[in-house]
Amino acid sequence: MRVYISACGIGLGHATRSAQLARYLRERGHEVHISSYGQGLGYLEERRPPGVSLLEGGRPLIWRQREGGEPDPLSTLVRLPSYALIFLNHVRAEYRNVREVEPDVVVSDSRFSAILASLLADVPAVAILNQPRVLLPGVLGRVPGMQKLADLGSGYFWSLSRAVVVPDFPPPFTIGEDHVKGLPSRIASRIEFSGPLIEVPREPLPRVSPDGRRVILLMISGPEAERRPLAVSYTHLRAHETEADLV
């Protein structure tokens, strides 16, 4: 089977798990092509699995953020026209890539542009989403009816794929429970919980460090502006934590 994977390029999390999925498929004899943009493209240029071709999926794109890394909804709304042009650039790039690769299936990791491109090219698509339901932040989330409108819109768009894979645990153990409850039936009927799409280490991480302290694993992801304050907190914790070993 020939598979085309399109990874969101904001931060490194999408690219990391898309590379892991590509590696899994290659090991089972499938032909795999992968695309991304921005930070994700840079990561895949260095870390894509052997035998997997890499294509550019459009210009860099990221929402506006405040200094602490949190989203800035109002500044993002002001720039919607420029974002729309970049999104069209992504659709054109993805459509060109899909026509060139001629895959049997398109796997879109959080990229609606890839879903649109697959529809235009008449190729079935599967979406991978952490957040089928996007919770609107700040002022936007408090506007009456705005969250429901966002739920209906995202539900319609992502339901254009054949299936929606949520890399989380099924209920009642779902970590991102608020992002999957109350969804329109159009998308809820397509959801499959896969569990986390992560690389399993060859050797399990120790529960206790050599000096007898507990080991706590911190996994920091997201765009650079979000990672920066978390990295500072990590440095502070390592300097003052005496009962556990942070890795």
Side-chain angles (χ1 to χ4, degrees), residues 52-220:
V52 174
S53 71
L54 178 63
L55 301 95
E56 184 175 347
R59 294 160 51 194
L61 170 66
I62 187 172
W63 57 83
R64 298 292 295 181
Q65 296 173 282
R66 300 190 178 98
E67 186 175 346
E70 64 271 21
D72 189 335
L74 295 181
S75 294
T76 299
L77 284 174
V78 169
R79 291 165 175 80
L80 274 182
S82 62
Y83 290 161
L85 291 176
I86 297 176
F87 176 74
L88 290 176
N89 168 264
H90 284 202
V91 175
R92 286 195 298 268
E94 291 296 85
Y95 178 71
R96 181 187 64 245
N97 292 342
V98 171
R99 290 297 299 269
E100 176 184 330
V101 171
E102 297 183 342
D104 297 302
V105 63
V106 170
V107 179
S108 169
D109 189 335
S110 310
R111 296 196 68 189
F112 183 57
S113 56
I115 301 296
L116 278 182
S118 71
L119 288 174
L120 293 172
D122 195 25
V123 177
V126 174
I128 301 176
L129 292 176
N130 287 81
Q131 302 171 344
R133 180 174 186 250
V134 177
L135 301 178
L136 298 179
V139 176
L140 285 179
R142 294 192 292 270
V143 175
M146 186 62 75
Q147 183 63 61
K148 184 175 182 179
L149 182 62
D151 292 346
L152 290 172
S154 63
Y156 173 79
F157 290 138
W158 292 114
S159 66
L160 295 175
S161 56
R162 298 285 182 90
V164 176
V165 177
V166 177
D168 202 336
F169 302 106
F173 307 107
T174 310
I175 297 172
E177 180 183 5
D178 289 339
H179 294 286
V180 295
K181 67 181 182 182
L183 291 169
S185 59
R186 183 182 180 97
I187 185 174
S189 62
R190 288 171 165 76
I191 287 181
E192 298 286 345
F193 292 93
S194 68
L197 298 177
I198 60 176
E199 183 175 0
V200 179
R202 296 183 182 275
E203 298 292 334
L205 292 173
R207 292 179 178 271
V208 179
S209 65
D211 59 2
R213 295 185 299 168
R214 293 175 303 155
V215 175
I216 300 177
L217 173 64
L218 304 179
M219 301 182 68
I220 299 175

Side-chain angles (χ1 to χ4, degrees), residues 1-23:
M1 183 169 64
R2 185 180 300 134
V3 182
Y4 178 81
I5 302 174
S6 177
C8 175
I10 299 174
L12 303 177
H14 301 283
T16 301
R17 70 182 180 197
S18 291
Q20 175 65 10
L21 176 60
R23 183 178 298 108

